Amino acid sequence: MPGTDQLLAFVVASAILGITPGPDLIYVMVRGTAQGSRAGVVAAAGLCTGIIAHTVFAVVGLSALLAASTIAFTFVKLAGAAYLGYLGIRMLLGRKQLDFSSRGDSQPLGNIYRQSIMMNLLNPKVGLFFMAFLPQFVVPEAIPVAPQFAVLGLIFMVVSFFVMASAGIAGGQAWRWLATSERASRWIQYSAGTVLIALGLRLAFEKA
């Protein structure tokens, strides 16, 4: 297994990567701002649950297959982009505006959790990242290697959850501030939908 120094370096690297602005962090903040801190934390939990699957994929080599197959990579990437676009369009076309004043979520927390898992699983960049990042902290001489991947994946999941949940809570504080404005609630609803669509477009046109 990796030594203490390596594990500490991995935690630090994971934290730095976690606070780097990206689609996941933006998504969690949008959820928190649009529906409150609980929704932001649940979105973070969903995204981090997806990390479990990516860790397994890294172990069995699925991510390597995606890296080697342009067709497979493109298919999964476009599927993820389409899903983000679907969520964004549904929010833009929603007849019921977000109700900040009563803490009424526009979507049940269970739906947010499932959607967040799907968002993570349908992003092949996450799998490719794991294949590039995790091996740097694995000790090849220590057999077997699979448990090392599992431990590193678990650590990354915990660190990522802490960072993203904090972002969701921060978004929730903004949600409190917006609670008295009907115009603000409508603006946030449209902005959140636009951001989700933009993230989908970014993923669709991002080069491998």
Side-chain angles (χ1 to χ4, degrees):
M1 294 294 291
T4 303
D5 292 342
Q6 281 182 296
L7 289 177
L8 180 59
F10 180 77
V11 170
V12 173
S14 299
I16 292 174
L17 290 169
I19 63 176
T20 301
D24 288 352
L25 198 64
I26 294 173
Y27 174 78
V28 170
M29 293 189 70
V30 166
R31 282 298 189 189
T33 304
Q35 298 178 230
S37 296
R38 289 182 61 191
V41 172
V42 169
L47 291 172
C48 290
T49 300
I51 291 176
I52 297 175
H54 284 295
T55 301
V56 175
F57 294 161
V59 173
V60 301
L62 177 58
S63 295
L65 173 63
L66 287 176
S69 173
T70 302
I71 295 177
F73 178 87
T74 301
F75 176 80
V76 177
K77 181 178 70 171
L78 293 179
Y83 189 71
L84 283 175
Y86 161 76
L87 294 179
I89 291 174
R90 198 171 82 168
M91 184 168 285
L92 285 177
L93 299 180
R95 296 180 179 179
K96 181 180 179 181
Q97 72 180 57
L98 299 175
D99 183 5
F100 291 97
S101 59
S102 64
R103 289 183 172 269
D105 292 346
S106 63
Q107 292 191 52
L109 296 180
N111 288 352
I112 295 175
Y113 180 71
R114 288 189 291 271
Q115 289 172 0
S116 300
I117 293 176
M118 289 296 296
M119 174 183 170
N120 187 277
L121 293 179
L122 292 175
N123 186 354
K125 283 289 185 178
V126 178
L128 296 177
F129 163 77
F130 262 60
M131 287 299 294
F133 183 58
L134 296 188
Q136 299 181 40
F137 299 89
V138 169
V139 180
E141 297 78 14
I143 302 298
V145 174
Q148 297 186 57
F149 274 104
V151 170
L152 293 174
L154 177 61
I155 293 174
F156 187 83
M157 181 178 66
V158 172
V159 173
S160 297
F161 175 74
F162 177 79
V163 172
M164 289 191 289
S166 298
I169 292 173
Q173 296 306 308
W175 175 84
R176 291 170 179 266
W177 177 71
L178 293 167
T180 58
S181 174
E182 180 178 341
R183 178 178 297 180
S185 68
R186 179 66 68 180
W187 182 85
I188 288 295
Q189 181 175 349
Y190 289 154
S191 297
T194 301
V195 168
L196 291 175
I197 293 173
L199 291 177
L201 291 174
R202 175 183 174 181
L203 178 60
F205 291 102
E206 189 174 22
K207 295 182 179 180

